[in-house]
Amino acid sequence: MSRIFYGWIVLGGLCITYAASNGILLNSLPLFYPSLIEEFAWDAAEVTAPATLSFLATAILSLFVGYLVDRFAPRPMMIVGSLLFVCVLLAYRYITTLDQMRMIYVGFSVALALNGILPSMVVTSRWFKRYRGVAVGILLMASSFGGAVLPLIVGPIIEDEGWRTALITMASVGLVMMVVPCVFILRNDPSEKNTVPDGDVAAAAEAAAEAEANGLVAGISVIDAMKTPMFYLLAFSTGVMWFCISGVIQHQSIYLGSDLSLPGPRLAQVFSLFFASSVIGKVLFGWLSDRYSKVNIMLLATVNLTVGLVVFRMVDGDSIGSILFYAVVYGIGFSGAFTMIQLMLAELFAGPTYGKILGVFVFIDTLAGAVGIAALGQIRVATGSYLPAINLMIGLYLAAFVCVYIIKRQIEAPQPVTAE
């Protein structure tokens, strides 16, 4: 009986850690806002401003962490990030001012940069090549499960015992789900277990030969990567996707609930279906990318997003069937696009400088997402409607499709044969 490839165990550890970090920071801590507003008399804008600061800080820190993860081993960084995350959760209990809350969220930014998607993707890409699509899909799906489960744990504790006690629970969860896997399960790369990616020596040699034959830009420096058209085409495409995805996710409740007067129970049903579909999309697109050309699957994700947004543009408050159809199509599309962005980056730039390049793209995408959220809000205020913003996003998705198609043509173009 053959032993299980240790990469799957590493992936399990990464999933547990990623589910905790995202499930706590993005999905559980917002549940504390009503308690903070009640206790400190802050308004909604004040209590959510530190989270916006956190997104911006994470974008900037990703550039630095991308450099560190290439220069040093990811695992020690992830251990430090996990420990810092737990310490910041414990310190959160003692805040009394908005400035202290801002400092707490900057601390979360540092912790998440050290132990978030960037180092997790680097470790995953080192352990998997042939099964990288499924592995990345499983990793990204973990954040959805964390977001679904952890709020159910923390919500009742806030209600029954108060937000400070709930933070102790969250810190305990972070200790078990983040620190323990990083210390005892994670390994930087297959060589630490005397194996190769996917545990298949023949496949590893074949993949290396195929990458060389295809003339991909894997392993080049950041400066040289920035001299290639594919870098800018992919940067524009992923930036556009995050501009639209972040904007839609943050504003769809206002559009459906306020503008289209969708009742609260129906709105909750739409959100539940939307995020359930996102779980399917991450694994589905990862599975497809292992069987077909990754650039073709990224084109499919772009089409999926465009179709979903066109449906979103056409719905009204009475067309619940169309709204639910939008939730499925766009939910699958946004998670599929997220998965394919990570896989395309690994496909094109995996190598000794992958961390730095990934850091640049995380910076671009995070900023684009923040701009998208702000832009949709400003358009809604200026025009009194989200429709101009939706029209803009449909146009941007079409432009992204063209860019990804150009990347496809460049990848599939015959490489010149040089005489020896």
Side-chain angles (χ1 to χ4, degrees), residues 154-165:
V154 70
I157 298 175
I158 295 174
E159 182 72 22
D160 297 337
E161 302 181 43
W163 64 276
R164 289 183 173 86
T165 301

Side-chain angles (χ1 to χ4, degrees), residues 44-121:
E46 289 174 327
V47 81
T48 56
T52 303
L53 174 64
S54 178
F55 274 97
L56 295 175
T58 301
I60 296 171
L61 287 167
S62 64
L63 297 172
F64 181 60
V65 172
Y67 169 80
L68 290 179
V69 82
D70 283 337
R71 187 172 180 84
F72 305 102
R75 180 168 167 260
M77 292 171 47
M78 298 182 74
I79 293 173
V80 171
S82 299
L83 289 170
L84 177 60
F85 197 91
V86 173
C87 290
V88 173
L89 281 170
L90 292 174
Y92 197 166
R93 300 175 63 239
Y94 301 102
I95 67 166
T96 56
T97 67
L98 280 170
D99 285 339
Q100 291 172 347
M101 188 173 176
R102 293 186 188 100
M103 292 176 62
I104 287 295
Y105 270 82
V106 169
F108 282 133
S109 299
V110 177
L112 196 62
L114 292 172
N115 189 25
I117 186 61
L118 199 158
S120 297
M121 273 299 303

Side-chain angles (χ1 to χ4, degrees), residues 381-405:
V381 171
T383 66
S385 171
Y386 278 113
L387 295 183
I390 297 174
N391 293 337
L392 170 65
M393 290 188 292
I394 292 173
L396 289 173
Y397 276 143
L398 293 175
F401 179 90
V402 173
C403 289
V404 177
Y405 182 76

Side-chain angles (χ1 to χ4, degrees), residues 143 151 154 214 238 242 249 254 275 403 412:
S143 66
V154 70
N214 288 339
T238 63
W242 277 115
I249 289 175
I254 303 173
F275 287 106
C403 289
E412 295 177 352

Side-chain angles (χ1 to χ4, degrees), residues 189-410:
D189 57 64
S191 65
E192 296 186 10
K193 284 292 185 177
N194 296 316
T195 185
V196 295
D198 304 307
D200 190 332
V201 177
E206 179 184 343
E210 181 180 353
E212 183 178 356
N214 288 339
L216 298 179
V217 293
I220 66 175
S221 70
V222 178
I223 298 300
D224 287 340
M226 294 177 69
K227 295 178 181 177
T228 64
M230 278 194 286
F231 181 93
Y232 296 98
L233 291 167
L234 193 60
F236 176 81
S237 302
T238 63
V240 160
M241 289 179 182
W242 277 115
F243 176 97
C244 300
I245 289 170
S246 299
V248 169
I249 289 175
Q250 293 298 319
H251 288 272
Q252 63 179 345
S253 62
I254 303 173
Y255 179 61
L256 294 173
S258 298
D259 293 7
L260 301 186
S261 301
L262 196 68
R266 283 293 194 185
L267 186 61
Q269 182 182 11
V270 171
F271 267 60
S272 177
L273 184 59
F274 182 90
F275 287 106
S277 299
S278 76
V279 173
I280 297 171
K282 290 173 181 177
V283 176
L284 174 62
F285 276 79
W287 180 82
L288 288 172
S289 72
D290 283 338
R291 285 152 180 79
Y292 305 99
S293 165
K294 288 180 174 58
V295 69
N296 286 338
I297 304 304
M298 190 166 184
L299 282 172
L300 177 61
T302 310
V303 171
N304 201 321
L305 287 168
T306 307
V307 171
L309 204 57
V310 169
V311 174
F312 194 51
R313 171 69 172 78
M314 298 172 63
V315 299
D316 58 54
D318 296 325
S319 57
I320 185 61
S322 298
I323 294 174
L324 294 177
F325 180 67
Y326 148 76
V328 172
V329 175
Y330 202 81
I332 291 175
F334 107 80
S335 59
F338 183 26
T339 302
M340 293 315 303
I341 288 169
Q342 307 306 320
L343 290 171
M344 282 296 297
L345 285 169
E347 179 84 356
L348 296 175
F349 301 112
T353 62
Y354 172 57
K356 299 186 188 72
I357 295 174
L358 181 58
V360 172
F361 274 84
V362 171
F363 173 77
I364 293 170
D365 294 347
T366 305
L367 285 185
V371 172
I373 295 170
L376 264 64
Q378 291 297 321
I379 292 173
R380 172 67 170 76
V381 171
T383 66
S385 171
Y386 278 113
L387 295 183
I390 297 174
N391 293 337
L392 170 65
M393 290 188 292
I394 292 173
L396 289 173
Y397 276 143
L398 293 175
F401 179 90
V402 173
C403 289
V404 177
Y405 182 76
I406 295 173
I407 294 173
K408 167 183 167 67
R409 293 294 299 270
Q410 290 190 354

